[in-house]
Amino acid sequence: MEKLKYEKPVISKITAGVPSKFGLPARQKIISEIDGIPVSKLMEEYGSPVFVFSENTIRNTYAEARQAFETRYPKVQFAWSYKTNYLDAVCNIFHDEGSWAEVVSGFEFEKALAIGVSGSQILFNGPEKSEKDLTLAINHNACVHIDHFDELYLLMEITQKLDKKARVAIRVNMDTGIYPMWDRFGFNYENGEAWNAINRIMLADRLELIGLHTHIGTYIMAPSAYAIAATKLANLLVATHSKFGHWLKYIDLGGGFASKNTLKGAYMPGSETCPTFDDYAEAITNALISSEIPHENLPTLFLETGRALIDDAGYLLTTVLANKRSSTGRRNMVIDAGVNLLFTSFWYNLGVYPSKSPSEYLEETTIYGPLCMNIDVIRDAINFPHVKTGDQLVIERVGAYNVTQWMQFITYRPNVVLIDLEGRSHVIKKKEDLETLKNKEVKPE
Ligand SMILES: *Cc1c(COP(=O)(O)O)cnc(C)c1O
């Protein structure tokens, strides 16, 4: 008898139709269209991969956030966090909704001006502001959120040189029960540095202190941390008034609200566990309204919400390149979008979905991007149906940070498309080509 050829055994769990300890499995979710446009049509028109944004979702999410705060507090102003997504078309929607601009670099400041935001509606954050950046900000009457004493002294010098006044706030860092504490930005509350900075600014003729700022971190799951932050800033506001008889105009609580994405290692999906805008608003406005600040002097509440306002509005459409087995028999899938486009895949378990009805059979799968590097993993373990080469997939909740932190590596960056309120699609950033990349290169003679 001929010896049978050896084949390495593979054990895989069959989950199709089998109840788990939570009951019958949910059907595989499918995303076949975005705002009424079929995924296949978008990819035919704009290629693969392609980022797609929904104007409808942006406006609805913003309206929800605004309503949560405006129904609880008399003076609220959002400022769009540019670094979260600074595509002109996206910023324009936020500005059209009434948002100011929150920028963290000279580049972002210039971008906001170029879009048409008035300088007086730009909040200038960040640890790196050059003399040139600060001069631009002062000349445009922006509000500079001072990060450290060296910046404070530089501002004093520049305002003297220009013989102009600067409108300023300070960034405060503090213990809100969230660790590790983001204490590398701004002046510390607990050790008295923030109070010291306030005193120095009040002494400087050409600096007008108008607000206090903090940004306690990002993806903060505890609304109570914001209540602590609001209380501490309110304390500084009251102290400033008692000593100088001066009420500051605003308190800025920065960004950091969690989006519905699921953090790696989380047991439950983020969409089930994240606080709502109402939860954050309740915590923050309770703290301000019940502080020692008299109601007629309540400051404007600024919010620089980034990811929670845009994550849901962004999708990445991608194509399956290959299915293979690893040395251990594990199912591997390769798609045409990698970590070069999805920076947030390093900390989220992004939702990846087929665009049409797949097989019932799910198998634990690792999803790789197309790059020639081992860390190009979009999902290291996802129960995924069998799909074929050429099948189209949709990755959801990728609106925040990916189209700013993406990198040009190995391949071109793709088209970005916006679907407007009438359901029409527009390219808002064109795919790169050789020309784009060679444009800035210089070959020495
Ligand atoms: C990044 C950033 C934001 C936005 O943060 P999210 O976590 O995306 O809401 C707001 N303010 C400052 C100062 C930032 O650096």
Side-chain angles (χ1 to χ4, degrees):
M1 199 175 92
E2 203 187 332
K3 202 176 166 195
L4 288 174
K5 222 175 115 196
Y6 174 75
E7 248 182 58
K8 193 170 182 169
V10 173
I11 300 176
S12 54
K13 194 163 119 193
I14 296 178
T15 54
V18 179
S20 70
K21 66 176 171 180
F22 301 112
L24 277 174
R27 289 199 93 75
Q28 171 67 42
K29 171 172 152 181
I30 294 166
I31 302 183
S32 58
E33 54 170 53
I34 298 168
D35 287 3
I37 309 186
V39 165
S40 54
K41 184 156 178 280
L42 288 164
M43 290 173 94
E44 192 182 319
E45 202 163 331
Y46 303 108
S48 177
V50 56
F51 276 99
V52 178
F53 281 87
S54 157
E55 177 176 357
N56 193 43
T57 306
I58 299 176
R59 290 194 190 265
N60 286 342
T61 313
Y62 184 81
E64 214 183 287
R66 231 179 83 171
Q67 162 145 354
F69 282 90
E70 287 183 352
T71 49
R72 290 175 171 85
Y73 195 77
K75 290 178 276 181
V76 179
Q77 179 62 56
F78 281 84
W80 175 238
S81 157
Y82 266 45
K83 76 172 189 294
T84 308
N85 186 322
Y86 43 60
L87 294 176
D88 284 4
V90 168
C91 296
N92 266 329
I93 296 173
F94 284 106
H95 297 317
D96 183 58
E97 290 282 342
S99 232
W100 290 16
E102 183 274 326
V103 304
V104 292
S105 68
F107 154 64
E108 289 187 1
F109 196 102
E110 286 175 5
K111 203 158 196 293
L113 283 180
I115 289 174
V117 182
S118 147
S120 61
Q121 300 191 349
I122 300 178
L123 308 177
F124 195 1
N125 284 310
E128 186 251 331
K129 307 182 191 82
S130 67
E131 179 164 352
K132 182 169 159 265
D133 300 335
L134 289 171
T135 306
L136 184 71
I138 294 165
N139 284 335
H140 281 91
N141 204 26
C143 192
V144 178
H145 289 182
I146 304 172
D147 186 77
H148 47 261
F149 282 112
D150 290 309
E151 187 178 310
L152 171 56
Y153 302 140
L154 180 59
L155 261 179
M156 289 179 181
E157 253 177 67
I158 300 172
T159 46
Q160 187 164 11
K161 219 187 288 178
L162 298 175
D163 191 22
K164 275 194 170 165
K165 274 199 144 192
R167 296 155 72 237
V168 303
I170 56 164
R171 176 161 179 169
V172 181
N173 69 64
M174 58 181 77
D175 187 352
T176 58
I178 299 293
Y179 309 105
M181 225 168 98
W182 279 27
D183 61 358
R184 62 158 285 196
F185 304 108
F187 303 90
N188 185 250
Y189 176 84
E190 286 80 17
N191 72 7
E193 204 177 59
W195 179 236
N196 184 232
I198 290 174
N199 278 273
R200 285 180 183 275
I201 295 169
M202 294 306 293
L203 197 60
D205 301 337
R206 291 188 181 82
L207 298 184
E208 187 195 352
L209 186 65
I210 58 172
L212 298 173
H213 170 259
T214 187
H215 174 62
I216 59 176
T218 193
Y219 205 95
I220 304 290
M221 294 286 278
S224 58
Y226 286 95
I228 297 173
T231 302
K232 289 185 173 175
L233 292 187
N235 290 345
L236 288 175
L237 213 81
V238 170
T240 306
H241 178 259
S242 338
K243 180 160 176 187
F244 302 101
H246 173 66
W247 283 112
L248 300 180
K249 292 198 183 77
Y250 68 83
I251 277 183
D252 181 342
L253 284 174
F257 299 160
S259 79
K260 295 194 186 72
N261 257 306
T262 305
L263 284 180
K264 289 198 169 183
Y267 182 63
M268 296 280 283
S271 54
E272 306 300 318
T273 53
C274 281
T276 60
F277 288 122
D278 286 310
D279 297 333
Y280 291 115
E282 189 69 18
I284 291 171
T285 59
N286 273 346
L288 290 179
I289 289 171
S290 27
S291 72
E292 295 296 311
I293 305 169
H295 285 183
E296 63 275 19
N297 298 110
L298 278 175
T300 301
L301 170 61
F302 277 96
L303 294 156
E304 303 169 346
T305 313
R307 72 175 74 240
L309 287 180
I310 190 75
D311 235 3
D312 280 4
Y315 301 83
L316 181 65
L317 316 191
T318 168
T319 304
V320 177
L321 297 179
N323 286 294
K324 50 203 286 196
R325 295 268 165 201
S326 75
S327 60
T328 58
R330 186 185 176 77
R331 181 167 175 242
N332 289 343
M333 184 165 82
V334 188
I335 60 174
D336 67 358
V339 294
N340 53 327
L341 304 181
L342 292 170
F343 200 82
T344 58
S345 62
F346 288 122
W347 59 81
Y348 291 145
N349 282 332
L350 292 170
V352 185
Y353 302 99
S355 64
K356 60 176 203 277
S357 228
S359 69
E360 283 273 317
Y361 175 73
L362 304 181
E363 182 178 348
E364 194 165 275
T365 303
T366 301
I367 304 180
Y368 290 101
L371 305 178
C372 303
M373 58 192 238
N374 209 33
I375 62 161
D376 188 20
V377 180
I378 297 304
R379 284 296 301 267
D380 42 21
I382 179 173
N383 245 344
F384 208 74
H386 279 194
V387 288
K388 295 190 296 294
T389 300
D391 281 357
Q392 299 171 332
L393 310 181
V394 177
I395 306 181
E396 68 170 10
R397 299 202 173 109
V398 296
Y401 295 103
N402 291 301
V403 299
T404 46
Q405 289 186 303
W406 52 1
M407 58 181 160
Q408 194 278 305
F409 179 54
I410 298 186
T411 181
Y412 302 120
R413 280 176 286 203
N415 280 319
V416 182
V417 170
L418 177 79
I419 302 178
D420 68 20
L421 297 177
E422 275 78 51
R424 289 172 310 212
S425 57
H426 311 262
V427 174
I428 57 170
K429 186 171 193 301
K430 288 186 193 152
K431 184 183 192 313
E432 290 173 340
D433 55 21
L434 193 58
E435 197 51 37
T436 336
L437 301 182
K438 282 179 72 85
N439 191 10
K440 292 282 180 191
E441 284 191 39
V442 183
K443 208 162 71 183
E445 284 309 317

